[in-house]
Amino acid sequence: MSGHDHMEPITTMPVVNLSVNGKPARADIASDVLLVTLLRDNLNLKGTHVGCDTSQCGACTVHVDGRSVKSCTMLALEADGASVTTIEGMAAPDGTLHPIQEAFRAHHGLQCGFCTPGMVMASAALLAKNPRPTERRARLIWGNASKYLWAFLSQQPQLPVISHGQQDHGRGRRQRRRDGSAAS
Ligand code: FES
């Protein structure tokens, strides 16, 4: 019997090649590793957070080939060949914030901040796909983020969003109440 008969079979880890925030990335990973784990543990991109780990909270949202994806629901191997953007890739190279990040900053849209990266990513993907979403559509995408998204939209004169008039109407009613004038 030759020595080769007792050799263990050579197992190799699958390799994933992808682009992350515009830079090529490569990792040897087990086939059950999630995209969020690849980003956080292998690539040290800690801005993508894990909240529920059950595809509900959206804290782990990133863009995969321009689509908003909860990275806790996607295997890293499924992202092979894809272009992934995380919150670290949203600002310009000179540090200028993405307009959605700027809107969150301007409107103090942080709360505890844990979910904010995912909210920014989901909001940016929504607006990239549909610059004039209805409020209902925005709330379907992300209930909490929608109020910041609308705060942002309401300050963009080039984006005449459908429910803009409703917002103005509500603001007018509040103002009249403060002024003591009769509500219409
Ligand atoms: Fe909550 Fe991914 S961690 S949806």
Side-chain angles (χ1 to χ4, degrees), residues 36 49-61 70-73 114:
V36 67
H49 293 165
V50 179
C52 65
D53 209 10
T54 55
S55 186
Q56 295 183 55
C57 73
C60 63
T61 301
K70 292 172 184 169
S71 58
C72 76
T73 67
F114 188 81

Side-chain angles (χ1 to χ4, degrees), residues 29-41:
I29 49 166
S31 56
D32 60 351
V33 166
L34 296 170
L35 178 58
V36 67
T37 307
L38 170 71
L39 294 171
R40 288 181 54 84
D41 296 350

